[in-house]
Amino acid sequence: AVVSTQSGHYGRGSMANVPIKPGTKYGGKTTVTLIPGDGVGPEIAESVTTIFRHMSVPIQFETISLNKDNLKDEGAFDAAITSLQRNGVGLKGVLNRSGDFRTHNLELRGNLDMYANVVRCKSIQGVGTRHEGIDLIAIRENTEGEYSGLEHESVSGVVESLKVITEEKSLRIAKFAFDYALEHNRNKVTCIHKANIMKLSDGLFKRCCEEVSKLYPSITFDSQIIDNTCQQLVINPQQFDVMVMPNLYGNLVSNLAAGLVGGAGLVPSKSYGEDIAVFEPGARHTWMEMKGMYVANPIAMVLSSAFMLKHLALHDYGDRIISAIEKVLVKGECRTRDIGGNSTTREMTRAILDEIDVA
């Protein structure tokens, strides 16, 4: 089944053309892989498990410890891959990218072929920002480009890094973007590129998007150079609808856009493969310096978990969590540091639970 209905601030739909996987069930509960990650990851993951336990959500988490402390442990990485393959659905904090562990981030996406990362950045009622009326979708090819991990030092002091763009994967992510636009009643898809300089690699990506666009006559298509895109996001972000781009540009755009609507603590994301879905914060910051302080905003992680529930057809639970978060932000009585307050992670969690209880 494909769920494409929407309502409310964050939308209520699942991803275009991504089937709901039944998941592994034991005793009436669906088993989901939970990778808390590094930095504040375990603290915001605790917010999710607290809310799920309070609501009696029929989810059983299979927790995998994959973090900076065991970055040399291939067994931990293999356990994460096996768990995600078995369960088909995961909730993930951000993994530290320092040292060799950056390769594990890439291998996680590559081994599971999680080719599409989707970040929705939407102006949020109750959160003051410079711009209003933003509602854009950043769709990022998640497995190649500059993140192919192919680097070497050819001679001392000279490093070569290979950017890999393939026709197959460019066509696949372009089709995903147009399908998303169609399923979610979006009007325009913009291809972000640097084909004026990288004529072969980004030229190929742009041509693939142009080719796919011809199959969707009801959707407006245009393209934009990445440096101009960054400027336009700051000047007039309301012009963007669905944006599709290679890996590195997607990282830049999603982080910039997250900042426009309130910051990393508010924006969820989803990464999809053919038969797997992993939900995680959209801006991918570990906030190592705040580890153990319980001051991080858990909303991005909690929203990611709500969309995970929607993906699993547990719509009522997901809707109640989303609605509770919207009410907390509108009231403005509980705010973590990133959105102008002094509330702790656990106080924000408690505020969300209070709104759930009232509903």
Side-chain angles (χ1 to χ4, degrees), residues 14-15 18 113-116 176 270-273 276-277 279 311:
S14 195
M15 284 304 307
V18 177
D113 197 25
M114 294 189 294
Y115 68 92
F176 183 97
K270 305 154 258 189
S271 290
Y272 291 97
I276 193 166
F279 299 78
H311 177 78

Side-chain angles (χ1 to χ4, degrees), residues 97 117-122 136-140 142 147 192 226 229-230 233 243 245-261 263-264 267-269 281-285:
R97 291 175 171 82
N117 177 248
V118 183
V119 181
R120 183 179 186 185
C121 295
K122 190 176 190 301
L136 65 85
I137 305 292
I139 296 179
R140 165 186 180 182
N142 217 21
Y147 287 31
I192 310 302
I226 179 60
T229 298
C230 292
L233 279 168
M243 309 166 75
M245 62 214 87
N247 212 333
L248 177 60
Y249 309 152
N251 193 6
L252 300 174
V253 167
S254 59
N255 276 270
L256 196 164
L260 293 175
V261 299
V267 178
S269 80
R284 298 181 180 174
H285 295 294

Side-chain angles (χ1 to χ4, degrees), residues 4-16:
S4 59
T5 56
Q6 304 180 80
S7 63
H9 173 84
Y10 292 98
R12 300 291 190 257
S14 195
M15 284 304 307

Side-chain angles (χ1 to χ4, degrees), residues 226-246:
I226 179 60
D227 38 330
N228 183 38
T229 298
C230 292
Q231 182 184 62
Q232 292 300 318
L233 279 168
V234 174
I235 296 172
N236 180 25
Q238 296 85 356
Q239 69 183 280
F240 294 105
D241 193 351
V242 175
M243 309 166 75
V244 60
M245 62 214 87

Side-chain angles (χ1 to χ4, degrees), residues 36-47:
D38 280 296
V40 300
E43 297 160 35
I44 59 177
E46 177 187 302
S47 296

Side-chain angles (χ1 to χ4, degrees), residues 131-159:
H131 293 284
E132 297 179 354
I134 299 171
D135 187 6
L136 65 85
I137 305 292
I139 296 179
R140 165 186 180 182
E141 205 296 318
N142 217 21
T143 62
E144 55 179 15
E146 292 86 352
Y147 287 31
S148 301
L150 300 175
E151 295 184 316
H152 64 274
E153 189 172 24
S154 54
V155 297
S156 180
V158 179
V159 174

Side-chain angles (χ1 to χ4, degrees), residues 183-332:
E183 291 285 344
H184 291 79
N185 299 313
R186 295 278 178 159
N187 299 314
K188 182 174 71 171
V189 172
T190 302
C191 166
I192 310 302
H193 64 90
K194 190 65 176 173
N196 59 321
I197 300 298
M198 286 172 272
K199 299 182 185 298
L200 293 179
S201 57
D202 281 25
L204 173 60
F205 187 88
K206 182 172 178 283
R207 287 196 302 276
C208 287
C209 290
E210 291 170 345
E211 180 181 334
V212 171
S213 73
K214 296 173 184 177
L215 304 175
Y216 298 81
S218 63
I219 298 173
T220 300
F221 172 74
D222 64 2
S223 62
Q224 200 170 93
I225 296 171
I226 179 60
D227 38 330
N228 183 38
T229 298
C230 292
Q231 182 184 62
Q232 292 300 318
L233 279 168
V234 174
I235 296 172
N236 180 25
Q238 296 85 356
Q239 69 183 280
F240 294 105
D241 193 351
V242 175
M243 309 166 75
V244 60
M245 62 214 87
N247 212 333
L248 177 60
Y249 309 152
N251 193 6
L252 300 174
V253 167
S254 59
N255 276 270
L256 196 164
L260 293 175
V261 299
L266 297 173
V267 178
S269 80
K270 305 154 258 189
S271 290
Y272 291 97
E274 295 299 331
D275 56 1
I276 193 166
V278 174
F279 299 78
E280 62 185 322
R284 298 181 180 174
H285 295 294
T286 58
W287 303 116
M288 295 295 290
E289 65 274 17
M290 295 194 297
K291 180 179 179 180
M293 297 172 64
Y294 281 89
V295 295
N297 190 342
I299 286 179
M301 187 70 157
V302 176
L303 277 174
S304 297
S305 75
F307 288 121
M308 179 192 74
L309 294 176
K310 301 288 290 178
H311 177 78
L312 292 168
L314 296 170
H315 302 288
D316 180 62
Y317 293 102
D319 286 343
R320 289 168 62 195
I321 291 172
I322 293 169
S323 177
I325 290 172
E326 291 171 346
K327 291 174 182 176
V328 168
L329 292 174
V330 168
K331 287 184 176 180

Side-chain angles (χ1 to χ4, degrees), residues 334 342-352:
C334 182
N342 292 298
S343 300
T344 66
T345 307
R346 286 170 173 163
E347 287 170 344
M348 178 61 80
T349 305
R350 182 68 258 171
I352 296 170

